[in-house]
Amino acid sequence: MKTNKSPRRDFLKTMGWSTIGLSTLPLATSSISSCQTKPTEKAQTKNSNSLAVRKNIADFAPDDPEIKLFKDALNILKKRSEVSPLDPSGWQAHGMLHATFCATSIYANQVHYNWYVWPWHRLYLWSMEQKLQKAVNEPTLALHYWDWTKAPNIPDHYWGNESNPLFNVTRMVGPENELPKDFINVGAGFRAEHYKTFGGYPAIKKRGEAQLDGLAEQSFHNNIHNWIGGQMATFTESGFDPIFYAHHGNCDRIWDAWRAYSPKNTLPEDEEWLEKRLFATDGNGTPVDFKIKDLLNTEDLGYRFNDLDLNPTYCNPYEEADKPERNASAQDCVAPLNLETSQTDAIYKEFINKERTHVILHFERAQLPYQPYCARVFFEYDKEGERQSKYTGTFTILPILDLDSVLLQNGVHLQIEIEKEIAEAIEQEKNIEVIFQPVPLPNRNIPDEILKLENISLKLNYEDA
């Protein structure tokens, strides 16, 4: 490891990581739920002086010693896989670990489309961080996150050529491409008081049950994966693009920020969730498992975030001028809201003391291409002789498979936030049309095949359906 000694020495010298220096960094704390438990032996709480501190990579110069050490560690993992693709501590095996639990229709393993998505991905990032630390023998080496609310372009660190271990040639965007504002709106998720709304409902147990992934997964998480394209837009290979760890690092941070946003934002207390065992590998590539209750405090896992501050522009409520406009196109899907199957009275009563609330938009897909489908969702109706078009969010709909099957689930559920004016139109039994307006992505065409939907309805909670 001779080649790594100098970057590591420069890194520590530059950061001034002495006992006093590190302890004076701002501690990002979150409101810990009453279901918090003590760590297991596998995740002993570290002294604050030895915690890895995760920071926004866009705040560093590409040639910063901290970045150089990070790249050195990543190169070591990649070289291990060149020698032996099956090396469990190598880059190849780690990427396949993501596919094992995300690109699967075996629902005993699947962590997407349900409330396991954020705990498992926290464990997956911990697994990568442990491997990087051991590769250069630096226990405080931290993964970086990409705060796309402050830097909507992929940071310069991830560009160049194959000599840069952070580069990935499959991306469909370039350094000049900027994320659309509505792709990175986190406000609707922050105002979701129930974890089921933010993070997803329990995993389905039999074929035909509804899969309800959370608002955070359906919106900014999926949108950014799909926007980047290439390997990042697939479950099978996204773990092989280094930008994955920066994107999910920010998603992990947003989960903590959601908990800190309001004392009403609480985690599940269900034993089914807290006692669920999730699997990954440690820094040596050895299989390990953690219960979710042992993954809820990042310091128990050896790291913390330098801050939980996001660009308030993306924390809603949007200014009207910032909302996407409705621009009709031949690819738009337009279908009526079925008031008979919607919970109209319950939704209207929910707005007695509120200006906005979360609901579940359900539809049956009569036709949907086997690919991610990104769309802006609008509600349209007449009001005082004028056509109103109300934007409710931008979502990437995935071709979700049914339980232990290769067939698509027919029913789709989106967790969205609507404004009071929409509830009033529902209560007045107006003819409301729901529009899915497909979003053009860089260097890709909108699918010619129009999304065909049937029986669109709104409900407050799935259990009330």
Side-chain angles (χ1 to χ4, degrees):
M1 306 241 179
K2 185 176 181 180
T3 57
N4 296 315
K5 290 184 179 178
S6 179
R8 177 174 181 269
R9 186 166 57 247
D10 292 344
F11 163 57
L12 295 173
K13 182 178 179 181
T14 301
M15 297 307 297
W17 278 13
S18 62
T19 301
I20 297 176
L22 183 61
S23 63
T24 57
L25 287 171
L27 177 60
T29 58
S30 45
S31 49
I32 303 301
S33 164
S34 60
C35 62
Q36 181 66 53
T37 57
K38 294 182 179 180
T40 64
E41 293 182 357
K42 293 189 287 289
Q44 291 297 328
T45 304
K46 290 189 177 183
N47 184 287
S48 61
N49 296 329
S50 62
L51 289 173
V53 182
R54 296 186 184 176
K55 307 164 192 171
N56 185 13
I57 196 168
D59 292 339
F60 292 86
D63 61 350
D64 186 279
E66 182 168 336
I67 303 301
K68 288 182 178 179
L69 183 64
F70 174 49
K71 289 182 177 180
D72 283 345
L74 196 58
N75 265 329
I76 291 172
L77 266 60
K78 290 190 172 186
K79 288 177 180 177
R80 287 174 182 169
S81 294
E82 290 176 4
V83 174
S84 174
L86 297 180
D87 186 337
S89 63
W91 176 254
Q92 184 79 11
H94 190 82
M96 289 304 299
L97 184 63
H98 181 267
T100 301
F101 293 97
C102 301
T104 177
S105 59
I106 302 174
Y107 270 75
N109 292 344
Q110 181 58 261
V111 297
H112 278 277
Y113 325 130
N114 60 56
W115 61 356
Y116 300 137
V117 61
W118 301 123
W120 186 86
H121 281 84
R122 172 169 288 181
L123 177 59
Y124 185 62
L125 264 62
W126 170 87
S127 174
M128 170 56 74
E129 192 169 69
Q130 292 289 303
K131 294 180 177 75
L132 295 172
Q133 290 173 356
K134 285 187 174 294
V136 291
N137 194 28
E138 178 46 66
T140 55
L141 174 63
L143 283 173
H144 300 86
Y145 58 83
W146 166 32
D147 185 351
W148 23 257
T149 72
K150 297 174 182 174
N153 301 74
I154 293 180
D156 293 341
H157 312 67
Y158 293 89
W159 298 109
N161 52 44
E162 296 294 347
S163 65
N164 178 10
L166 299 181
F167 176 71
N168 184 288
V169 72
T170 71
R171 297 172 193 150
M172 301 295 288
V173 296
E176 73 284 356
N177 293 118
E178 183 174 307
L179 277 162
K181 283 186 177 181
D182 56 303
F183 276 42
I184 49 182
N185 170 34
V186 300
F190 273 15
R191 288 187 295 277
E193 297 177 3
H194 301 291
Y195 181 81
K196 289 180 181 179
T197 305
F198 175 85
Y201 273 65
I204 65 175
K205 298 174 177 62
K206 60 183 180 180
R207 187 174 298 182
E209 288 186 340
Q211 300 178 91
L212 278 85
D213 36 344
L215 194 155
E217 182 177 358
Q218 294 171 335
S219 59
F220 57 81
H221 166 266
N222 286 356
N223 291 342
I224 294 173
H225 267 282
N226 197 35
W227 178 81
I228 294 173
Q231 288 184 316
M232 268 290 279
T234 72
F235 281 130
T236 53
E237 298 182 350
S238 58
F240 295 111
D241 188 339
I243 197 68
F244 174 97
Y245 303 93
H247 170 44
H248 263 279
N250 203 41
C251 291
D252 187 41
R253 173 171 169 255
I254 286 174
W255 183 21
D256 264 11
W258 170 79
R259 294 176 65 186
Y261 181 77
S262 168
K264 295 180 180 179
N265 293 356
T266 55
L267 296 174
E269 296 184 359
D270 309 59
E271 184 175 340
E272 177 185 352
W273 191 73
L274 292 171
E275 297 293 327
K276 171 70 174 179
R277 290 188 178 275
L278 301 176
F279 300 90
T281 53
D282 64 14
N284 297 315
T286 304
V288 293
D289 65 273
F290 286 78
K291 291 182 178 181
I292 288 179
K293 66 182 182 182
D294 298 324
L295 297 169
L296 302 181
N297 186 338
T298 66
E299 293 195 7
D300 291 346
L301 298 172
Y303 73 93
R304 62 180 174 91
F305 298 105
N306 65 327
D307 68 58
L308 298 178
D309 299 328
L310 301 167
N311 185 338
T313 300
Y314 304 104
C315 294
N316 252 8
Y318 270 152
E319 298 291 334
E320 285 295 325
D322 289 335
K323 293 181 180 180
E325 294 183 359
R326 163 89 170 101
N327 297 312
S329 72
Q331 287 83 18
D332 290 354
C333 167
V334 181
L337 178 67
N338 189 332
L339 296 179
E340 291 184 1
T341 57
S342 297
Q343 296 176 333
T344 54
D345 291 341
I347 290 172
Y348 184 69
K349 291 177 182 177
E350 186 75 7
F351 279 90
I352 292 177
N353 297 311
K354 294 181 179 180
E355 290 301 315
R356 54 175 59 84
T357 196
H358 295 85
V359 296
I360 295 172
L361 174 67
H362 170 263
F363 61 83
E364 304 293 327
R365 45 181 159 198
Q367 187 175 9
L368 180 65
Y370 270 82
Q371 57 184 313
Y373 187 95
C374 184
R376 294 180 173 123
V377 181
F378 297 84
F379 283 57
E380 286 195 350
Y381 47 89
D382 291 324
K383 181 180 179 182
E384 298 177 355
E386 294 186 3
R387 192 67 173 168
Q388 301 292 311
S389 182
K390 304 295 290 185
Y391 167 77
T392 61
T394 302
F395 305 92
T396 296
I397 305 168
L398 301 178
I400 300 176
L401 302 179
D402 207 342
L403 180 67
D404 297 335
S405 171
V406 295
L407 301 176
L408 287 180
Q409 263 216 346
N410 186 40
V412 177
H413 299 77
L414 286 179
Q415 304 211 51
I416 67 173
E417 185 182 54
I418 62 172
E419 298 177 9
K420 191 170 187 175
E421 186 175 323
I422 295 176
E424 291 173 344
I426 292 173
E427 195 271 338
Q428 295 167 13
E429 297 185 349
K430 292 183 176 291
N431 294 322
I432 300 174
E433 289 183 328
V434 181
I435 292 92
F436 283 70
Q437 179 179 307
V439 183
L441 300 173
N443 301 310
R444 280 157 285 180
N445 295 324
I446 294 175
D448 293 330
E449 193 174 21
I450 298 175
L451 178 67
K452 295 181 180 179
L453 311 181
E454 297 175 346
N455 190 26
I456 299 181
S457 62
L458 293 180
K459 303 181 186 300
L460 278 178
N461 298 290
Y462 177 67
E463 287 90 344
D464 298 334

